[in-house]
Amino acid sequence: MQDAEYLKQSVGPAMTQAMASLVVEQPEDAVEYLGTYLLSYVKAMEAEALKVASVERLTSLEASLAASEAASAASTAAASAKKKQLQAESDSLELSLSETAVPPSGIDAVLSLLQVRTGATGAYFGRRETDSQGSSQIQYTNSTQEFMVGAVLKGGAEGEEESFEGVTWPLFASSEVEETTVDAEGEETTVTRTVFPEDVVVENVVRNGGVKCFGLPKLGAYLAVPVRFNSCLWEGGVEDAEPAPEVEAVEGGEGEEASEEAEAEAEAEAKAKEVAAPPPREFDKFQPVYRQMECVIGLDTVGQGVGRLLDPESKDLAREWGGKLAGAKAKAELQAWKETVEKLQEWGQGEVDQSTAKEQGAAKLAEQVAQLSEAVAGAGAGAGAGAGAGAGAAEGEEAANATAMSEDVKALRESELRTASALELLGGTKAQLLAVGGFAIPPRNESTKVLGAAMALIGTSEGDYVDVKTGKIDWGKLRMLVGEDFYAKVEALDVASVGDDEKLLEKVRGMVEGSDEAGVPFSHVVVTSFTVGNLLGWVNAACAGAEANKAFKVKEAEAAAEAAAAAAEAAAPAE
């Protein structure tokens, strides 16, 4: 860069302004004026630069603040949207629970919600049961983790708390507390209430020796909350409704005007005869009988370390949904109870005494047995005549065996006739029998066992109608099997196929032992079921037929062996 150009760019603007001012002012000391002016110029330029920098900094700060506010607004909007979404999911789930029979999918939805909201590793639902030996257990039926479905916490009989597994059982232990209230007059009233724990909390499952781990023990917390509700879907869940309260007549008033005296008297007399409308009754003829159903929701953070699940928000959320699920289950059960009682009353009208049908069936069977006896007697007489016509000893023995075998054939054919007769009688009540599958209230134990015995006879897997964890018949499973396929298998049963299974026959006989074919106890609404009595008759006849078939096979095998031995002896050379 040339010297002139350098001076023009570096000091040109300052010197131009200074020289112009110098010409205008024409001071006495031009050099001093010029120096002072240049110093003032420098200060002015520095101030201007500072002002520009301040403006730029302010603009940057404003932009940063605006961006921060926008981000905050976006975050707030996102949080609000997330909150609305979660609330919508909660409302939708709560609505679905109130409108359905709370199927397993409804319970699964609650568990998924709790797992997401609390950050739990797993969430599971279990119910307290009593096995066939009278011991308590908690059976987990639903879980966000597959390995927990079917898991069982073993308990024990009452008074054997030391044998109970895990730390959840205290959730079901009640205690009595006294509460004293004082009324406006200063009178004290003390009442005793039964209370249960709100939850069970374990801060570190690894350091608590009482925790039952169904997987590898890892650091984490455990929270259990109760799902406790009154259940009416059980064998004894129906009783007669309390009688309606008596109502009093409503007295009428007098006429208002003397000129309308006659009309008023007539109106008053009519009103005096009116009866006050009784208050609406929820239960007219029958009412539910409740028993407490105890279930549990468990949450854990196994593998996440300690501290999670212990915050008040997570506990409150778990307790809240435990209560909502309990309320939904109680409501759904009551609705199912009402529908079932209505069905039972209609079904009961079709329960006709089967005495006449049985007498007719017995008469027909007797005629068939008589014809069979005549045929067997004829065969036996023929065999005897052949033996008496000069036959030898061997022929006589063969004739005697033939006579005995014909009696065995008679016994077998008679059992077949009885089974067919029982099936024909059952066919007359087929529609009644299949309707049993629509009842949500379990029937009496006697009827349940008859149905279970029939299921066992037709080859239904025990796990399909029995709770394998408790060893008791599960009505929820059993009733789903009572349909056309079930009846088709009853009709197609070949008793010869079960005759060799002694354990099965012993089991079936034990299930129906003591029951009367004339009628089996069914429920409080329909005290005795002739339909189940017919099914019992078929079960007994089928068992007898299977046993007769087996006995015939044994005799047939013995006769064949004796014949073979006799033939071998006859073929042996004489010595």
Side-chain angles (χ1 to χ4, degrees):
M1 179 183 296
Q2 296 181 0
D3 295 344
E5 186 66 24
Y6 167 73
L7 291 173
K8 181 178 179 180
Q9 290 185 8
S10 58
V11 298
M15 290 303 296
T16 299
Q17 293 183 30
M19 295 302 291
S21 179
L22 182 64
V23 172
V24 172
E25 296 295 333
Q26 295 185 359
E28 292 181 2
D29 190 344
V31 175
E32 182 180 0
Y33 179 86
L34 183 61
T36 302
Y37 186 91
L38 290 175
L39 289 173
S40 297
Y41 179 86
V42 171
K43 290 180 180 180
M45 290 299 101
E46 289 177 349
E48 183 65 23
L50 183 61
K51 180 180 178 181
V52 171
S54 297
V55 170
E56 290 178 350
R57 187 164 56 254
L58 179 61
T59 302
S60 175
L61 288 174
E62 289 177 345
S64 177
L65 180 61
S68 177
E69 289 176 348
S72 178
S75 177
T76 301
S80 177
K82 182 65 175 178
K83 185 177 181 180
K84 288 181 179 179
Q85 179 188 351
L86 294 176
Q87 187 61 48
E89 291 175 355
S90 297
D91 293 343
S92 176
L93 177 54
E94 192 168 357
L95 180 62
S96 68
L97 290 178
S98 67
E99 293 180 344
T100 68
V102 194
S105 59
I107 298 175
D108 290 338
V110 171
L111 296 179
S112 296
L113 180 145
L114 288 175
Q115 183 182 27
V116 171
R117 299 281 185 86
T118 63
T121 303
Y124 26 91
F125 174 87
R127 64 173 185 264
R128 184 180 184 180
E129 300 278 4
T130 303
D131 63 19
S132 57
Q133 305 301 317
S135 295
S136 295
Q137 61 178 229
I138 299 174
Q139 185 178 155
Y140 292 99
T141 57
N142 304 75
S143 176
T144 57
Q145 298 167 302
E146 188 175 349
F147 71 88
M148 279 296 294
V149 177
V152 170
L153 273 180
K154 295 180 181 179
E158 189 174 350
E160 300 177 356
E161 285 74 12
E162 65 278 359
S163 63
F164 286 36
E165 290 183 330
V167 296
T168 307
W169 288 101
L171 203 63
F172 307 124
S174 63
S175 59
E176 305 291 332
V177 296
E178 292 187 349
E179 293 184 349
T180 302
T181 58
V182 181
D183 59 21
E185 299 179 355
E187 293 290 334
E188 292 187 355
T189 302
T190 301
V191 295
T192 301
R193 289 194 309 112
T194 300
V195 297
F196 292 86
E198 291 185 339
D199 54 40
V200 168
V201 176
V202 177
E203 295 185 8
N204 187 341
V205 297
V206 175
R207 293 195 175 185
N208 189 313
V211 172
K212 166 74 174 180
C213 292
F214 292 97
L216 291 175
K218 297 179 181 179
L219 285 177
Y222 172 69
L223 170 66
V225 297
V227 180
R228 188 177 290 109
F229 63 96
N230 288 328
S231 171
C232 52
L233 295 184
W234 61 292
E235 179 185 332
V238 186
E239 68 180 5
D240 291 337
E242 296 181 1
E246 296 183 0
V247 293
E248 299 179 357
V250 176
E251 297 294 337
E254 299 180 356
E256 297 178 359
E257 300 289 338
S259 60
E260 301 174 351
E261 183 176 350
E263 182 179 350
E265 287 180 0
E267 183 180 352
E269 184 178 353
K271 285 185 177 180
K273 293 180 180 179
E274 291 180 359
V275 176
R281 302 183 70 209
E282 184 176 9
F283 307 108
D284 185 21
K285 191 173 182 180
F286 299 102
Q287 65 186 22
V289 178
Y290 294 103
R291 68 175 181 179
Q292 191 171 78
M293 181 65 71
E294 294 183 308
C295 304
V296 59
I297 290 177
L299 300 164
D300 70 66
T301 55
V302 171
Q304 299 186 43
V306 297
R308 300 291 298 273
L309 285 181
L310 304 181
D311 58 283
E313 185 177 352
S314 295
K315 293 180 183 178
D316 290 344
L317 186 66
R319 286 194 291 261
E320 176 188 353
W321 277 99
K324 287 180 178 179
L325 187 56
K329 293 281 285 184
K331 181 180 178 181
E333 284 206 3
L334 181 57
Q335 181 60 34
W337 182 94
K338 291 178 179 178
E339 293 172 357
T340 298
V341 168
E342 185 175 343
K343 290 179 182 178
L344 279 169
Q345 292 181 80
E346 294 177 1
W347 186 77
Q349 296 174 5
E351 280 293 288
V352 180
D353 191 333
Q354 297 292 296
S355 299
T356 302
K358 286 185 176 181
E359 288 175 3
Q360 294 173 349
K364 179 180 178 181
L365 177 62
E367 183 179 349
Q368 292 173 329
V369 171
Q371 293 173 354
L372 178 64
S373 298
E374 289 177 4
V376 171
E395 288 80 357
E397 183 177 352
E398 183 178 345
N401 289 338
T403 301
M405 197 63 193
S406 64
E407 288 295 328
D408 294 332
V409 171
K410 173 180 177 290
L412 177 61
R413 297 291 178 262
E414 185 174 339
S415 71
E416 292 174 349
L417 289 173
R418 293 188 183 280
T419 302
S421 176
L423 184 59
E424 183 178 353
L425 186 63
L426 181 62
T429 54
K430 174 185 174 182
Q432 282 286 105
L433 177 61
L434 299 189
V436 170
F439 302 149
I441 302 174
R444 300 292 188 194
N445 194 42
E446 295 88 342
S447 289
T448 302
K449 285 185 175 181
V450 171
L451 287 161
M455 290 293 173
L457 264 183
I458 63 175
T460 306
S461 174
E462 189 175 82
D464 290 342
Y465 63 94
V466 171
D467 185 333
V468 296
K469 302 296 183 181
T470 63
K472 297 189 293 187
I473 292 178
D474 185 333
W475 177 246
K477 290 182 176 181
L478 177 60
R479 75 186 188 96
M480 294 301 174
L481 300 176
V482 182
E484 289 289 348
D485 183 60
F486 159 70
Y487 195 82
K489 290 180 179 179
V490 168
E491 290 182 309
L493 178 67
D494 178 10
V495 295
S497 65
V498 297
D500 295 330
D501 194 338
E502 294 184 3
K503 289 185 177 180
L504 173 62
L505 292 175
E506 183 181 357
K507 170 187 172 182
V508 171
R509 289 290 198 188
M511 292 175 73
V512 300
E513 184 179 6
S515 296
D516 188 355
E517 294 180 16
V520 180
F522 194 80
S523 74
H524 187 81
V525 179
V526 182
V527 178
T528 302
S529 173
F530 305 110
T531 297
V532 180
N534 285 349
L535 181 61
L536 172 61
W538 174 80
V539 169
N540 286 335
C543 287
E547 292 163 350
N549 197 284
K550 180 181 180 181
F552 178 77
K553 288 181 179 179
V554 171
K555 292 288 183 67
E556 192 176 39
E558 290 176 351
E562 290 176 1
E569 184 177 352
E575 295 183 358

